[in-house]
Amino acid sequence: MYQIYNVYAICALAATGGGLFGFDISSMSGVLATSAYTNYFHVHGGYRQGLITGSMPGGSLFGTLTSSFIADRMSRRTAIQIAALIWMLGSIFQTVANGVTLLVVGRAVAGFGAGIASTIVPVYQAEIAPKEIRGRVVSLQQFAITIGILVQYFIQYGSSFVDGGPENPRQSTMAFRIPWGVQIFPALALAILMFFVPFSPRWLAGQDRWEESIHVLANLHGNGDINHPKVLAQYREIEEAMTFEREAGDSAFKALTQPRMLNRVFLALCVQMWSQLSGINFCMYYIVYMMQSAGVSNLLLISSIQYILNVVCTLPAILFIDTWGRRPSLLYGALSMMSLLFIIAALQATYGVENPHTDPSLDAISWLIIDRPTISRAIVVCSYLFVSTFAVTWGPTSWTYASEIFPTGIRAKAVSVATASNWFWNTVLAFVVPTLFKEISWKLYVIFGMFNFCAAVQVFLSVRETKGKTLEEMDEVFESGRPAWRGVSSGSRLDKLQREIADGVVKVGVRGQIYEELR
């Protein structure tokens, strides 16, 4: 069968699985403002809407916890294909939903698939990519998420004009069935096209399929030449790391609790947690409520600009994350988002008033900016800047960092646990935010701002820079004994090994054994 070996093409294709996460995030935002949705399912914010919205990330939480079992036994590639098939089934349930029960079931099933995909896609990308562009290609996951958000939102925006538009009380249910049905097709394409990409060379090595592993490495990084110094250097590093892991017994979930790994697991959990507690999903899931509270009209159009910015501002991260590094992105991103949220809170607190409830369409919120267009525009601008900051910093970096700091034997398991943190907080926020926003209004921005401050403190104290290091060098990065803020030594041992192989100082056999070493 024909195989694709261009690293960018492979990782971009796999990132379509991240697009399912994006569809998840915006699968509600566009339909919330339509009469078809609110009248058919009888929802006007509160716990009922929280249950519907939270069912998808809730399913994703369970999906991500089971993902490593599939990925370790059946391969990363197969896990992504299974995730796509499960997503399709859930999307079918949503499309034909005749009530809240089937809608919640459909969203939970689709979420299960999205959870598997969101966990295994960055693992697969990290194991395929060379260290020089690993951050860039793993960031394609976040880019695909933003594309999924944008595409789904515009499909919903277009569908909202069915039967005279979202204000028509007799609007057809096609206003929400069309966008939920369309999301079946990217998953179908993903399931089929993944047959044309290779297995992860590190997964193959873990299965003792060494000959296949080196041939995949050769096609990825040496134009098919298994004797290329870069290929042999990577191969030897993988073999030595695998040997060490097996001798140490680092392959089961219990390995995550060992002292040398526990710090990394906790760090990955926290990075994924802070990415959700930053407030980004409030701006994505419930942007309609946010803009209504700001006194903005033409909600769907204003919201669409935010989704466009989310896509566009992810591009600088893709291009430069391997230049400016992971640590600065997380640190300065958290501080910037904190500042913007505090500004929004101050504007809402100073110029807002309690909702007089003269307009039934605003019953989901309790605090309004009324007849202050300058303040409304300022809040919109801060919201745009907040989303742009997240897109450049925490969005791509949180996925990259968690996928690269663990050894191969436990990578899928560790990333599944870390991503479970993402989905857990995603679920909690999706469920409680409508009620919290109704009860405490602008104070919710203060809470999210404080979360970002806490994230910045932890990043400064604990996050170590990983750019330019191979996956097999992460033990050295985290066990160097240097404080996180002191940085790590520059360069990579892989480069030295590659030069030694090229100069004939070190020779590596096809199975990875060192046949001769000249000093």
Side-chain angles (χ1 to χ4, degrees):
M1 181 182 291
Y2 173 76
Q3 294 277 284
I4 302 169
Y5 286 108
N6 181 280
V7 172
Y8 286 105
I10 294 169
C11 293
L13 175 57
T16 307
L20 304 183
F21 189 0
F23 276 114
D24 162 18
I25 291 174
S26 65
S27 60
M28 274 288 123
S29 54
V31 301
L32 285 176
T34 64
S35 297
Y37 174 79
T38 56
N39 293 336
Y40 190 81
F41 294 106
H42 307 291
V43 288
H44 299 278
Y47 286 113
R48 191 179 181 90
Q49 181 57 53
L51 173 64
I52 294 171
T53 305
S55 58
M56 185 169 281
S60 299
L61 173 61
F62 290 100
T64 195
L65 288 173
T66 61
S67 61
S68 65
F69 296 101
I70 303 171
D72 285 340
R73 287 164 176 76
M74 302 177 67
S75 83
R76 283 54 164 141
R77 190 182 80 173
T78 302
I80 295 170
Q81 291 175 303
I82 291 173
L85 295 175
I86 295 173
W87 172 271
M88 290 167 59
L89 178 63
S91 297
I92 292 171
F93 287 159
Q94 293 175 73
T95 304
V96 302
N98 59 355
V100 171
T101 301
L102 186 54
L103 176 60
V104 168
V105 170
R107 287 179 59 78
V109 171
F112 191 88
I116 296 173
S118 65
T119 304
I120 302 305
V121 166
V123 171
Y124 178 72
Q125 292 169 321
E127 292 183 350
I128 286 287
K131 62 181 176 59
E132 294 84 2
I133 61 169
R134 187 176 62 245
R136 179 179 299 175
V137 297
V138 176
S139 294
L140 292 173
Q141 158 94 340
Q142 178 64 19
F143 186 64
I145 292 173
T146 64
I147 291 290
I149 294 171
L150 182 66
V151 170
Q152 173 67 300
Y153 185 83
F154 274 118
I155 292 172
Q156 292 181 359
Y157 180 67
S159 300
S160 71
F161 292 103
V162 168
D163 287 343
E167 305 298 329
N168 179 14
R170 297 181 180 275
Q171 187 181 33
S172 165
T173 60
M174 296 304 290
F176 58 80
R177 297 193 194 279
I178 290 174
W180 292 345
V182 166
Q183 62 188 8
I184 295 171
F185 298 102
L188 176 61
L190 175 65
I192 294 172
L193 293 175
M194 285 300 292
F195 282 113
F196 300 99
V197 300
F199 291 109
S200 160
R202 289 172 169 85
W203 178 81
L204 289 169
Q207 304 299 308
D208 287 326
R209 293 160 64 174
W210 292 100
E211 187 174 349
E212 292 176 71
S213 177
I214 196 169
H215 277 93
V216 171
L217 285 171
N219 284 308
L220 288 172
H221 310 305
N223 293 319
D225 181 7
I226 64 172
N227 294 311
H228 192 287
K230 185 174 185 179
V231 172
L232 293 175
Q234 286 194 23
Y235 188 63
R236 179 180 168 185
E237 284 235 310
I238 292 171
E239 187 191 44
E240 289 182 344
M242 287 287 184
T243 301
F244 176 78
E245 290 170 28
R246 287 174 177 176
E247 289 175 351
D250 291 348
S251 61
F253 268 104
K254 66 179 181 180
L256 303 183
T257 62
Q258 292 179 359
R260 60 185 291 266
M261 285 298 148
L262 196 57
N263 174 58
R264 278 183 255 183
V265 172
F266 179 72
L267 185 58
L269 279 167
C270 289
V271 168
Q272 290 284 6
M273 175 186 73
W274 294 130
S275 73
Q276 294 303 305
L277 295 182
S278 67
I280 186 62
N281 276 357
F282 173 42
C283 295
M284 293 297 169
Y285 279 128
Y286 298 114
I287 186 173
V288 169
Y289 296 161
M290 185 179 180
M291 294 304 174
Q292 283 177 332
S293 178
V296 173
S297 58
N298 201 353
L299 295 173
L300 294 177
L301 180 59
I302 293 294
S303 301
S304 68
I305 297 173
Q306 181 155 296
Y307 290 126
I308 293 171
L309 287 171
N310 193 29
V311 173
V312 172
C313 292
T314 304
L315 291 173
I318 293 174
L319 295 174
F320 300 113
I321 187 173
D322 289 308
T323 301
W324 62 46
R326 286 57 156 161
R327 183 178 163 86
S329 295
L330 296 176
L331 181 61
Y332 297 125
L335 293 174
S336 299
M337 290 189 292
M338 175 194 72
S339 302
L340 291 164
L341 289 169
F342 284 161
I343 292 172
I344 294 175
L347 292 173
Q348 285 276 13
T350 304
Y351 298 102
V353 297
E354 288 190 12
N355 185 357
H357 293 288
T358 57
D359 183 352
S361 67
L362 300 178
D363 285 347
I365 56 178
S366 61
W367 195 262
L368 289 170
I369 302 291
I370 300 176
D371 296 328
R372 291 184 178 272
T374 301
I375 302 302
S376 296
R377 285 194 291 270
I379 292 173
V380 171
V381 169
C382 287
S383 174
Y384 287 169
L385 290 173
F386 173 86
V387 170
S388 299
T389 301
F390 181 87
V392 173
T393 58
W394 277 80
T397 308
S398 60
W399 293 109
T400 300
Y401 199 75
S403 69
E404 66 186 2
I405 63 175
F406 298 105
T408 298
I410 61 170
R411 184 172 299 117
K413 297 178 180 66
V415 175
S416 74
V417 171
T419 309
S421 170
N422 181 301
W423 285 112
F424 172 78
W425 291 106
N426 193 320
T427 304
V428 170
L429 293 174
F431 184 73
V432 305
V433 160
T435 302
L436 279 178
F437 193 53
K438 194 171 185 176
E439 295 295 328
I440 64 175
S441 59
W442 58 268
K443 300 179 186 69
L444 188 59
Y445 295 107
V446 177
I447 293 173
F448 284 131
M450 289 306 301
F451 284 147
N452 280 290
F453 173 76
C454 294
V457 171
Q458 185 182 25
V459 169
F460 179 78
L461 294 175
S462 304
V463 170
R464 298 175 183 274
E465 186 56 68
T466 57
K467 72 171 184 177
K469 301 293 184 180
T470 66
L471 297 178
E472 288 69 37
E473 289 180 286
M474 293 303 159
D475 285 350
E476 294 179 12
V477 171
F478 282 88
E479 297 170 15
S480 65
R482 297 162 59 94
W485 59 86
R486 290 281 303 275
V488 296
S489 59
S490 60
S492 168
R493 71 178 184 220
L494 181 70
D495 298 326
K496 179 182 177 182
L497 178 59
Q498 184 177 334
R499 288 193 298 269
E500 290 177 341
I501 292 173
D503 295 339
V505 176
V506 173
K507 292 185 179 181
V508 180
V510 74
R511 292 184 179 273
Q513 295 93 345
I514 306 172
Y515 287 156
E516 182 179 358
E517 191 164 316
L518 305 174
R519 297 295 179 192

